[in-house]
Amino acid sequence: MSTALTVSAVPGPKIREFTKDLLVRRRHAAADGVAALELVDPEGDALPAWEPGAHVDLMLDDKLVRQYSLCGDSRDPDTWRVAVLLDPNSRGGSRHVHENLTEGTTIRVRGPRNHFPLVDSPRYLFIAGGIGITPMMPMIDSAARAGSEWKLVYLGRQRTTMAFAEELSDVYGDRVDLWPNDEKGLFDLAAALEHPADGTLVYCCGPEPLLSAVEQHCGHWPDGSLHIERFAAKAPVVEAEPTALDAFQVVCQRSGTTVDVSAGETILEALEDADIPIMSSCLQGICGTCEATVLEGTPDHQDSMLTDAERASGNVILTCVSRSRTERLVLDL
């Protein structure tokens, strides 16, 4: 099978991303309800390089695309590893993976893409909740190889549900603080984050209650200390006076096309209806696939991914959920 590249048909920079059917070489249970898949090129070719924090899209069928963090060895050019929790409230993605992706099957994969990069630092505090351990694993490996000081706090309901817990403890010993709730009770985040540690970056991934709590307890840490990745969109903030316009125009600078965005329609939907080449995936504002550069106008950010600094700059927008505060928004598309 040949590699497919998603390519735009308009002048200027093209949209190119590795897309190929990969082989599930190995599948095993990483914990109760968690399937780990090792993906390789069926023709034996090397896979694109990636950095800790990267994720890929599993294109499960024509309308079902899900993002999963790469949790293997970033130095291995031949194998990508993902781990998928079977969500009891699955919208179809995790159930499809668990029921259909057995050893020897193939799955179309797109990426990698990284909106959760590991920033160089002398010290790190990694906080993972449940399947949120997946992006942390290559980060920990990178920090350890760089000689940085680090600690992992790994939270879970019970030890048997905590993927890769034994692997992490065996390799890193007491730098890993496993915290199963049924054995130790709730972890005291307030105490752990009470005093900002000099030169320390906090990386956190997991369920929304954990992320919200860590955000709250890191509020007094220096700007830029906290880095988080969400698996689901945050609850929208209800403003007393909404700033987003119901209807506005999007000017696609490179393609020379102006698109009307109506009330109840997303920018992404309007762009797709106008055949403007743009990739998308999560449709929730959490993966960054549909990000576009803003050349003019003021976006109204409604995503769950951009940092406060990125929002304040107004230079980018996630077109699947965000809107405009100005009647005209010019994008580099």
Side-chain angles (χ1 to χ4, degrees):
M1 300 177 187
S2 60
T3 301
L5 287 174
T6 306
V7 183
S8 72
V10 297
K14 298 181 184 297
I15 301 171
R16 292 179 178 270
E17 199 163 58
F18 173 88
T19 306
K20 191 170 186 180
D21 292 336
L22 299 185
L23 176 70
V24 181
R25 180 181 64 186
R26 180 171 179 251
R27 169 176 165 158
H28 68 280
D32 290 349
V34 179
L37 309 178
E38 293 182 6
L39 307 174
V40 298
D41 189 302
E43 298 167 348
D45 293 338
L47 299 174
W50 57 280
E51 299 292 333
H55 69 266
V56 294
D57 295 337
L58 296 192
M59 306 172 75
L60 304 173
D61 62 31
D62 290 341
K63 296 182 179 180
L64 192 60
V65 180
R66 294 292 183 266
Q67 302 78 43
Y68 297 105
S69 297
L70 291 170
C71 59
D73 185 350
S74 61
R75 297 166 295 174
D76 183 352
D78 300 319
T79 307
W80 284 350
R81 181 173 72 172
V82 297
V84 181
L85 170 68
L86 180 58
D87 185 348
N89 300 313
S90 173
R91 293 177 293 127
S94 66
R95 185 183 306 112
H96 183 103
V97 171
H98 277 253
E99 293 179 356
N100 297 287
L101 298 189
T102 56
E103 291 183 2
T105 59
T106 58
I107 177 66
R108 176 142 290 211
V109 182
R110 183 173 65 193
R113 197 177 305 117
N114 197 345
H115 294 281
F116 191 42
L118 183 67
V119 178
D120 289 340
S121 177
R123 283 172 289 279
Y124 300 96
L125 173 60
F126 299 106
I127 303 174
I131 199 63
I133 191 61
T134 51
M136 303 292 181
M137 296 189 64
M139 290 184 178
I140 289 168
D141 177 65
S142 179
R145 287 189 285 106
S148 301
E149 296 180 22
W150 63 271
K151 179 181 179 180
L152 168 66
V153 176
Y154 184 8
L155 313 176
R157 294 189 306 276
Q158 55 192 42
R159 195 174 296 266
T160 58
T161 65
M162 299 170 69
F164 308 113
E166 184 176 342
E167 175 182 332
L168 287 163
S169 293
D170 288 346
V171 174
Y172 300 114
D174 59 8
R175 287 195 177 193
V176 176
D177 188 359
L178 296 181
W179 199 276
N181 288 350
D182 66 336
E183 298 177 22
K184 298 184 177 183
L186 292 178
F187 183 79
D188 192 345
L189 280 172
L193 298 170
E194 181 178 3
H195 302 292
D198 184 48
T200 299
L201 297 184
V202 179
Y203 276 77
C204 183
C205 186
E208 183 56 37
L210 171 64
L211 302 183
S212 297
V214 170
E215 284 181 315
Q216 176 187 347
H217 294 305
C218 282
H220 61 294
W221 282 56
D223 290 345
S225 297
L226 177 60
H227 300 256
I228 63 176
E229 183 175 52
R230 285 183 157 86
F231 291 146
K234 293 175 66 174
V237 176
V238 179
E239 298 179 348
E241 296 184 9
T243 55
L245 299 179
D246 288 335
F248 51 94
Q249 287 188 328
V250 170
V251 178
C252 302
Q253 182 76 14
R254 284 192 279 120
S255 63
T257 302
T258 298
V259 176
D260 292 320
V261 182
S262 61
E265 179 183 35
T266 68
I267 296 174
L268 178 65
E269 288 170 340
L271 294 172
E272 290 178 334
D273 287 345
D275 294 326
I276 302 299
I278 184 168
M279 292 189 299
S280 63
S281 184
C282 73
L283 306 182
Q284 300 179 74
I286 58 174
C287 77
T289 307
C290 67
E291 181 179 286
T293 299
V294 178
L295 302 177
E296 293 180 30
T298 305
D300 186 87
H301 297 293
Q302 298 180 20
D303 64 274
S304 301
M305 192 201 80
L306 296 178
T307 65
D308 289 342
E310 289 170 329
R311 289 167 179 253
S313 74
N315 293 331
V316 295
I317 186 172
L318 298 193
T319 59
C320 68
V321 292
S322 296
R323 301 189 70 76
S324 180
R325 299 185 181 190
T326 51
E327 294 183 358
R328 187 171 178 266
L329 198 64
V330 182
L331 304 182
D332 186 24
L333 292 171

